Amino acid sequence: MQNADAFDLIVQGGRCVTPSGIETLDVGIREGRIAALGSLATATTKERIDAKDLHVLPGIIDSQVHFREPGLEHKEDLGTGTASAALGGVTAIFEMPNTVPSTTSPEDLSDKVRRGREKAWVDFAFFAGAADEALPHLETMEKQEGCSGVKIFMGSSTGSLLVDDHDVLEQVLMRGTRRVAVHCEDEARLRERRPMVEKEGATAHMHPSWRDPRTAYLATERLLKTARKCGRRVHVLHVTTAEEMELLADHRDIATVEVTPQHLSLVAPDCYDRLGTYAQMNPPIREESHRKALWKALNDGIVDVIGSDHAPHTRTEKDRPYPDSPSGMPGVQTLLPLMLDHVNAGRLSLIRLVDLLCHGPARIYGVANKGRLTVGYDADLTIVDLNAFNAISHDQMASRCAWTPFHGRTVSGWPLSTIIRGNIVMKDGNLLGDPLGEPVRFAESFKSNPNLET
Ligand code: DOR
């Protein structure tokens, strides 16, 4: 007979970030779930991890990554991308649809889920890509297993996905019920201003002038109007400007907000001086006044989520002269160390960070059973040492692109273990066992799809 006190794993004596605050607790794990939170010193268990002097967070959910499979595996694949995630303390990722082919049909989406089951180190979900040709499929796709929601590119970036026709935007927002995540840059303005970076001698310093704050604002403003007209909540990805934050603060009922660690940590022109095209991303890193506004919005409660927007490109591609260099930088492995460093510097509290990296994504996307340290939830835990000082370096990166814009930056705060559904996947910087990632389960799709198991 099974001993009711027997656990598979106990994480002992850590400072646990629970929904009711930070408490020293033991976490008892059985059959992949959190089975008990409390004092478990005398309980029997197959395995015990000593977390004394460490913090135990709910597993980190990175709700915006680009892992490039299928089609662009020379930059990244689901194995290397998710290995990078696990090493960075991330337990689940939501991956974007700008692969080759773009994820615009039910078959494309189930193909990604099949690949994920074979090689992902962390749990995963994939976005359905909005496009004219995807319109007939979006409602089917958003009900499929492993679908995190729908992604719209209002301005062109990496890949061919684009919704620049206003009718298509309305039609996407009219169909379906799941979360729609949107890249807001105005395509018409981008095209109009493109000649300014095609002149002889253009450099990455011009990137934030080409893709200027007005470009971002115009798209966000139109999105909010359309979302209201269609009665659909939207999630605005990687917001970069003071003006958008002011507007979004007035639309809390219809829009949620994401920022990235890059936009919170890097600043123009310094990043372009130091990193050139390696600092190029869409929307761009901007000047200090915008960075300050992002921090203010974060601390005022306007920001709901931090996502890494991990977007790897090879060094050879990034070394092309601007503007032929692709936009995007890797970030899934540095997301948590960078943000813990901001916690240690007093810019936000650990509780607020857990809200942005765990509760926020779970709430916005309707994740069924992750994002909190609560009995009954998946035993996804990220154990961190807030006192560890470490220099971030290129050679730590498991991403196939093998570089990071944060090379040489010393941070305080580091993930020591990544536990997914009770399995220790990463310990002290090493991956353990075999990839065991599974599709993330979503509450909203379960309600609307009787064929999926609850
Ligand atoms: O800089 C970016 N890179 N922004 C995006 O929207 C896409 C991403 C990529 O996939 O490379």
Side-chain angles (χ1 to χ4, degrees), residues 64-68 72 75 96 98-99 151 153 155-159 183 185 207 211 237-238 263 280-284 309-313 318 326-329:
Q64 194 192 171
V65 302
H66 302 263
F67 282 167
R68 313 301 192 198
L72 299 167
K75 299 176 196 268
M96 287 295 164
N98 56 335
T99 43
K151 165 75 183 279
F153 282 92
S156 21
S157 190
T158 304
H183 177 127
E185 288 186 287
H207 200 59
R211 306 181 87 107
L237 298 168
H238 40 43
H263 294 107
Q280 176 192 336
M281 69 178 290
N282 303 332
D309 194 13
H310 178 86
H313 298 284
K318 285 299 243 183
S327 292
M329 38 180 128

Side-chain angles (χ1 to χ4, degrees), residues 141 155 430:
M141 290 172 82
N430 297 305

Side-chain angles (χ1 to χ4, degrees), residues 14-17 22-23 50-57 60 335-354 357 382-390 410-417 428:
R15 301 280 292 151
C16 295
V17 184
I22 303 182
E23 300 167 76
D50 182 6
K52 190 171 175 296
D53 300 327
L54 305 176
H55 281 80
V56 181
L57 317 182
I60 305 302
L335 163 73
L336 184 59
L338 280 172
M339 292 314 303
L340 291 175
D341 191 56
H342 287 308
V343 168
N344 275 322
R347 297 189 187 100
L348 78 169
S349 70
L350 188 60
I351 289 179
R352 176 69 168 131
L353 183 63
V354 165
L357 291 176
T382 302
I383 305 178
V384 303
D385 183 356
L386 276 182
N387 297 315
F389 276 85
N390 259 306
T410 298
V411 293
S412 58
W414 202 259
L416 298 187
S417 300
D428 300 328

Side-chain angles (χ1 to χ4, degrees), residues 363-419:
R363 204 164 42 227
I364 286 166
Y365 289 99
V367 176
N369 51 345
K370 296 183 184 293
R372 282 168 193 265
L373 285 191
T374 300
V375 170
Y377 268 48
D378 282 359
D380 293 352
L381 313 180
T382 302
I383 305 178
V384 303
D385 183 356
L386 276 182
N387 297 315
F389 276 85
N390 259 306
I392 295 173
S393 71
H394 296 316
D395 59 9
Q396 293 156 349
M397 299 297 124
S399 167
R400 183 157 290 144
C401 77
W403 62 273
T404 164
F406 298 103
H407 176 79
R409 185 186 282 228
T410 298
V411 293
S412 58
W414 202 259
L416 298 187
S417 300
T418 307
I419 299 176

Side-chain angles (χ1 to χ4, degrees), residues 8-14 25-27 29 45-52 54 56 381 383 416-419 422-427 432:
D8 298 324
L9 173 66
I10 291 178
V11 177
Q12 182 132 355
L25 295 169
D26 304 329
V27 186
I29 296 165
T45 181
K46 290 182 197 145
E47 201 174 352
R48 220 173 259 276
I49 294 183
D50 182 6
K52 190 171 175 296
L54 305 176
V56 181
L381 313 180
I383 305 178
L416 298 187
S417 300
T418 307
I419 299 176
N423 302 284
I424 306 167
V425 171
M426 184 279 281
K427 195 162 190 325
L432 304 181

Side-chain angles (χ1 to χ4, degrees), residues 42-293:
T42 58
T44 47
T45 181
K46 290 182 197 145
E47 201 174 352
R48 220 173 259 276
I49 294 183
D50 182 6
K52 190 171 175 296
D53 300 327
L54 305 176
H55 281 80
V56 181
L57 317 182
I60 305 302
I61 302 171
D62 187 347
S63 50
Q64 194 192 171
V65 302
H66 302 263
F67 282 167
R68 313 301 192 198
E69 180 174 351
L72 299 167
E73 289 91 340
H74 68 285
K75 299 176 196 268
E76 193 79 288
D77 66 29
L78 287 166
T80 54
T82 55
S84 204
L87 290 167
V90 170
T91 55
I93 56 92
F94 301 169
E95 206 263 352
M96 287 295 164
N98 56 335
T99 43
V100 180
S102 304
T103 318
T104 49
S105 76
E107 295 73 33
D108 296 330
L109 190 78
S110 41
D111 177 53
K112 279 192 169 178
V113 171
R114 185 187 55 74
R115 290 163 185 267
R117 282 191 197 282
E118 271 171 23
K119 51 173 104 158
W121 287 91
V122 305
D123 285 351
F124 53 82
F126 300 102
F127 282 92
D132 210 353
E133 72 274 15
L135 280 176
H137 307 304
L138 290 177
E139 280 163 290
T140 309
M141 290 172 82
E142 67 166 29
K143 288 180 187 147
Q144 278 178 257
E145 181 188 43
C147 181
S148 39
V150 175
K151 165 75 183 279
I152 298 177
F153 282 92
M154 289 179 74
S156 21
S157 190
T158 304
S160 56
L161 281 174
L162 180 64
V163 176
D164 58 347
D165 177 329
H166 191 73
D167 285 347
V168 178
L169 178 67
E170 281 198 7
Q171 288 189 55
V172 174
L173 294 182
M174 296 288 215
R175 286 159 205 237
T177 57
R178 298 285 302 286
R179 190 62 66 234
V180 181
V182 190
H183 177 127
C184 289
E185 288 186 287
D186 184 74
E187 182 64 14
R189 188 169 169 93
L190 283 178
R191 283 193 194 153
E192 189 185 295
R193 295 168 69 79
R194 173 89 189 177
M196 69 188 272
V197 292
E198 277 169 348
K199 291 197 188 108
E200 187 79 31
T203 69
H205 284 84
M206 297 166 79
H207 200 59
S209 312
W210 168 33
R211 306 181 87 107
D212 69 347
R214 182 106 190 113
T215 302
Y217 186 89
L218 284 175
T220 299
E221 183 183 48
R222 183 157 65 86
L223 174 70
L224 293 173
K225 275 194 191 135
T226 318
R228 199 168 288 289
K229 178 177 166 197
C230 300
R232 183 83 174 265
R233 269 172 84 74
V234 288
H235 183 49
V236 186
L237 298 168
H238 40 43
V239 175
T240 58
T241 68
E243 295 81 354
E244 285 170 284
M245 284 300 186
E246 219 172 281
L247 181 67
L248 286 159
D250 273 346
H251 289 79
R252 298 298 294 151
D253 59 329
I254 197 93
T256 47
V257 175
E258 180 203 67
V259 295
T260 77
Q262 297 87 298
H263 294 107
L264 292 170
S265 309
L266 299 173
V267 68
D270 165 75
C271 66
Y272 301 106
D273 293 344
R274 288 189 299 109
L275 302 166
T277 53
Y278 286 72
Q280 176 192 336
M281 69 178 290
N282 303 332
I285 309 291
R286 307 190 189 278
E287 318 77 76
E288 183 59 13
S289 60
H290 291 291
R291 185 168 69 136
K292 268 202 185 129

